[in-house]
Amino acid sequence: MRDAFEFVRRHRVAAVIAFLMVFPLLMPYHALAINILLFGLFAVGFNLLFGYTGLLSFGHAAFLGVGSYLTGIAMVHGGWPWWAAVVLGVVCAGVAGLVIGFLAIRTRGIYFSMVTLALGQIVYYAFYKAERWTGGENGLRGIQVPAVEIGSLRLDFLNPVTKYYVILAFVALALWFVSRVLASPFGAVIEAVRENDRRAAACGYDVARTKLLVFVLSALICGLAGALRALHLSIVPIDSLHYLLSGQAVMMCLLGGMGTFFGPFVGAGVFLTLEDVVTVFTKHWMAVVGGVFMFFVLFFPSGIWGTVIKRLERVR
Amino acid sequence: MEITPSLLALQLVTGIALGAVYALLAIGLSLIFGMLTVVNFAHGAFFMVGAFIGLYFMGLTGNFWFSLVLTPLVVGVLGLVTERFLVRPLYGRGIDYPLLLTFGLSWVLIEAMRVMFGIEGIPSSTPPELRGAVDLGIGFFPKYRLFLIFATAVVVLALWLFLEKTRYGLIVRAGSRDGEICKVLGIDIARVWLVVFGIGTAIAGLSGVLAAPTRAVNPEMGIHVLAESFVVTVVGGMGSLPGAVLAGLLVGIVFSLTSLFAPDLAELSIFVLMAVVLLLRPQGFFGKAGLMS
Amino acid sequence: MSHTPANLRRRRIVMAGTAVAAAPALFNIARAQGAAIKIGFPVPLTGAFSAEAQDQVRAAELAVKEWNAAGGHKGQMAELLVRDDKLNPGEAATRTLELIEKDKVNFVVGSLSAATQLSINAVTKERKVLFNSISQSDTINEAKDWSLYTFHEALNPHLTAGAVGRYAFPKFGKKVVYLTADYAYGHEMVRGFQRAGAGLGVQTLADIRHPLGAADYSAFLPRIQALKPDILVLCNFGRDLVNSAKQATDFGLKQGTKIIAPVLLYTSRQAGGADAFEGILGGTSYYWGMEDKIPSAKKFNDAFRKAYGGAVPSDYGALGYAGIRSVLQAVKDADATDSTRVSIALRQLKYDWYKGPQSYRKCDHQSVQSVVIVESKSKNMKDKNDVFNVLAIEAADEKNLRTCEEMGHKVTT
């Protein structure tokens, strides 16, 4: 048991990817599995900021949305190939992260949350009003990826299984990247800032720059999740930018366990599956999901994965 | 479009009436926050529950005034139960947990109202004695909205008297400054927190009954209101009552004037206001700097 | 064999192939033969339009029940798969993917909002699955979004607004102010009114755009008061309409100004109450009270009353009924269950399910139909269902739609 746990810990990216490879077999349908993949990545990006740096942002939908929209706009209006559009979406999300992060890190605590909320809403309205480019409330339609070509390999994107594994490839790459960052000396600085930013500053670290850098990294990851979501749904709904979606990232992170590597994925998986399954049985799904949520906050504050880790460590 | 002074004046009065409801909501939110450092995400849901229960009592008794007194009591009791059994176990775990718990609670409350009163909502009407519009000299304005401004003023005054002039108010104020010292002085701080949470939710319930005649009453009516009340609370400074009142009125007026000159930017305007205020003065008008960082 | 639907036949061949390898697969062949015709039905069971959506489901279930009771198609029964899209386009797309990929539905009928129907349509058209939308939108029939598999059972804003304008402008005056929900659907309705008013000398004093889903409209009202229009048009929907109508009443706007709404829903009127809607005039696709004029309406109402304890169907509910019946009729006409052939049959269909004669225009698959002009009443109501007076019914006429060229369709066939 202990050995297995240590092994998973050491090879966390490999473990997570191995699990995600077989994951679609466990899910009721592929579109849900892909959603979990994408929201898991979104929550991982959010967790970088919230879980590892201790900054609670209510505006992260902005980065998911910018990633989605720019990818979609490049494909629909610019006729770009899908891969170039994805790169553009991610880069633009990063730029949005730089601007919003630059303004927001000047504030602290609950005010930080509110500034990110306000700036996120401004992005929402900007895209809402740019109807010619974004479709406004109707959303952006016409994103078509009938077949993805990687070298000489031709993959039909309308086949849900193919779509899942193509998206998984990107998610895996992003996870590997996040893991590398966290394991690097910079990762240690991040956690030092979370624990006590004054002490970190006293140790000679540039706290503001660290926060900003994490903010941008986080935005890039969320932007990638958004870009892939545009390919998955073949539309970009305006809700992608709404603060309720930012709220979902918070919920998933906490449900799974903030500040843990697997937590956000577990949270996204449980949240979406619960919602999906409960919706089929009762139209009162909000009461069930809300109740489960309260239960976890009250009795499992470290989240599902966080609790599992604690238990395993106690066994050790 | 011709902007006449009387149109501008009427727009201002409309903004104040709007701001009155914002202020009322923000007071409750701010009171709870200032005292317990709980960011109450269920505040909008308590507002919604207040509207439903208010209409229910009105239907039972046929009397608006009776409902106006009874509803806050019922919602306040709901608040007491919430604090005692749901929020209290979370003290000392940081702000995230109460925030998330109340978020979950708001979903449960929305669903509860759906089960009790149906999904489409229920019709509401203005009490007969306050129906119709009066000519203010600058244009016609609904009587009921004038009453809203008046009612808010009464609540604010009553709360101020309670906090400044009563012994219990003194304890509350002391508790919000330093809970530890209060404990040392032998004050049962847990009970003070309980009462404050109850008062905060009671005011949310009261805002619900008061707002009910002006709008459609449905289970989702609190969601929208919540975001706006947060904007108001943050602009005024979290935990500050004068800040909540001032910011409420300001947000109402900004919204109203934007509606006149650039109607499609009205909703955005309050978020821009919040962003600008926070970037220039990160703690809001009257907030304490570095709170909960 | 010739009577077997194409996709079923294909499935059988595939299965026969597998049967050689594995005997138990024989069982599957037997089941496939009696397999139901599956219709996915994504609607917002939760969210702002849940009351309307619930009625859509009830009426759609009635349509399926009637069709099955009449023997289905050569013994093949229909099955309705209801899904909650939560009024969220992302969720709607996901649910539609689920219906197609996992449940293998033959067709999709449903939606209740411009954005969700466009997102469902984006998914279905790429996969060549027939989709019959039962919610209003001008956009879905335009060449950019439309496909051979896209059908629009509901009215569209252009048609509804036009009909109300043609009725109201000559009667109530020429100076008009619009209070419009700021999204495509709202703008489309204003365009419809302005088109109808162009020949009548109607003058737009202002088109005030309000945020979608706003709870308070008071800030927009002083300006409208000052403009003193003959007519105030509330170009919004559902709860927005309830709120804005209520608050306009409070501000005393009904003195001297007639308030009209392009879409006056039965459910909105019930939720808003008699006071707020007093005297407001608007258009709708259907009102149960037209049963004394239209025989098919009477028949539909009676069936609905019998199935649901005396309740009457609402406008959007009726659309759910018609949307399902049209598709199932086309299955019979085409003698097939694959989307392409059913789509071709649907283009030819002439039908009268509940409101008089209807048919789909060839170039864009918009259902050409009548528009009912109703006025809300607060006095002399027979029972709680009796909320509107039917003032007029504008007969179905292709001329009232935008032309095929205008929609971006090249040649009509």
Side-chain angles (χ1 to χ4, degrees), chain C residues 235-401:
Chain C
C235 286
N236 47 27
F237 185 83
R239 285 173 181 175
D240 287 5
L241 179 61
V242 174
N243 275 325
S244 52
K246 206 177 173 66
Q247 289 157 14
T249 308
D250 289 347
F251 267 75
L253 271 169
K254 279 179 186 165
Q255 278 116 36
T257 298
K258 182 75 180 175
I259 300 183
I260 67 175
V263 185
L264 196 51
L265 293 188
Y266 176 77
T267 32
S268 295
R269 163 60 185 77
Q270 293 287 18
D275 291 349
F277 278 94
E278 153 98 73
I280 294 184
L281 178 154
T284 180
S285 55
Y286 181 73
Y287 174 59
W288 69 270
M290 62 202 253
E291 64 183 8
D292 38 354
K293 296 193 186 86
I294 316 274
S296 55
K298 173 86 178 124
K299 206 170 146 227
F300 169 51
N301 287 342
D302 287 344
F304 196 91
R305 285 192 189 103
K306 193 168 157 238
Y308 298 110
V312 291
S314 68
D315 26 44
Y316 268 84
L319 285 170
Y321 180 78
I324 297 285
R325 277 203 67 170
S326 294
V327 170
L328 287 176
Q329 183 60 46
V331 168
K332 278 192 166 178
D333 294 351
D335 192 11
T337 53
D338 72 289
S339 283
T340 308
R341 285 166 65 182
V342 173
S343 166
I344 291 165
L346 208 47
R347 289 162 61 91
Q348 312 301 327
L349 192 66
K350 302 261 182 278
Y351 59 105
D352 176 6
W353 307 132
Y354 75 112
K355 62 178 291 192
Q358 286 177 259
S359 64
Y360 299 96
R361 181 162 72 168
K362 295 285 186 303
C363 70
D364 66 348
H365 296 175
Q366 167 63 40
S367 171
V368 184
Q369 58 188 298
S370 59
V371 182
V372 190
I373 312 290
V374 293
E375 188 172 39
S376 179
K377 60 177 177 181
S378 58
K379 291 176 204 74
N380 308 324
M381 289 148 50
K382 285 194 278 292
D383 54 37
K384 69 174 173 53
N385 301 329
D386 183 20
V387 294
F388 294 142
N389 286 319
V390 177
L391 301 179
I393 299 176
E394 189 186 80
D397 189 344
E398 246 193 78
K399 280 207 303 284
N400 295 332
L401 297 170

Side-chain angles (χ1 to χ4, degrees), chain B residues 3 10 208 239 250 266 285 288:
Chain B
I3 308 285
L10 192 62
L250 181 70
F285 292 162
K288 295 172 230 166

Side-chain angles (χ1 to χ4, degrees), chain B residues 1 11 124 140 214 216 220, chain C residues 219 223 225 239 243 246-247:
Chain B
M1 178 188 47
Q11 202 72 43
S124 62
F140 281 93
T214 67
E220 293 84 19
Chain C
R223 188 175 155 205
Q225 233 180 39
R239 285 173 181 175
N243 275 325
K246 206 177 173 66
Q247 289 157 14

Side-chain angles (χ1 to χ4, degrees), chain B residues 1 4 7 10-11 14 18 111 114 119-126 131-133 138-145 212-221 224-225 255-257 259-261 263-267, chain C residues 45-52 54 182 207-227 239 242-243 246-247 249-253 255 267 269-276:
Chain B
M1 178 188 47
T4 59
L7 176 55
L10 192 62
Q11 202 72 43
T14 310
L18 263 180
E111 214 51 81
R114 280 185 188 148
I119 46 176
E120 66 269 43
I122 44 181
S124 62
S125 56
T126 318
R131 263 183 217 168
I138 46 175
F140 281 93
F141 195 75
K143 267 191 227 165
Y144 189 81
R145 286 188 189 246
T214 67
R215 59 186 74 189
V217 172
N218 54 58
E220 293 84 19
M221 69 188 286
H224 208 73
V225 158
F255 183 86
S256 183
L257 291 180
S259 302
L260 180 61
F261 294 105
D264 45 353
L265 298 179
E267 207 181 9
Chain C
L45 290 171
T46 47
F49 304 150
S50 50
E52 288 82 3
Q54 233 166 54
D182 192 13
D207 176 9
I208 301 171
R209 307 244 161 121
H210 71 73
L212 185 62
D216 203 297
Y217 295 81
S218 58
F220 306 104
L221 299 174
R223 188 175 155 205
I224 298 175
Q225 233 180 39
L227 287 166
R239 285 173 181 175
V242 174
N243 275 325
K246 206 177 173 66
Q247 289 157 14
T249 308
D250 289 347
F251 267 75
L253 271 169
Q255 278 116 36
T267 32
R269 163 60 185 77
Q270 293 287 18
D275 291 349

Side-chain angles (χ1 to χ4, degrees), chain B residues 99-172:
Chain B
L99 184 155
L100 289 158
L101 179 111
T102 47
F103 182 80
L105 177 66
S106 72
W107 280 22
V108 174
L109 288 175
I110 289 173
E111 214 51 81
M113 291 299 116
R114 280 185 188 148
V115 172
M116 284 163 71
F117 297 101
I119 46 176
E120 66 269 43
I122 44 181
S124 62
S125 56
T126 318
E129 49 275 53
L130 294 171
R131 263 183 217 168
V134 286
D135 193 354
L136 294 180
I138 46 175
F140 281 93
F141 195 75
K143 267 191 227 165
Y144 189 81
R145 286 188 189 246
L146 288 179
F147 167 73
L148 272 185
I149 300 176
F150 170 75
T152 305
V154 169
V155 173
V156 170
L157 189 70
L159 199 65
W160 181 79
L161 285 176
F162 167 73
L163 288 174
E164 295 292 323
K165 303 288 171 195
T166 66
R167 213 185 111 72
Y168 212 80
L170 185 71
I171 295 173
V172 169

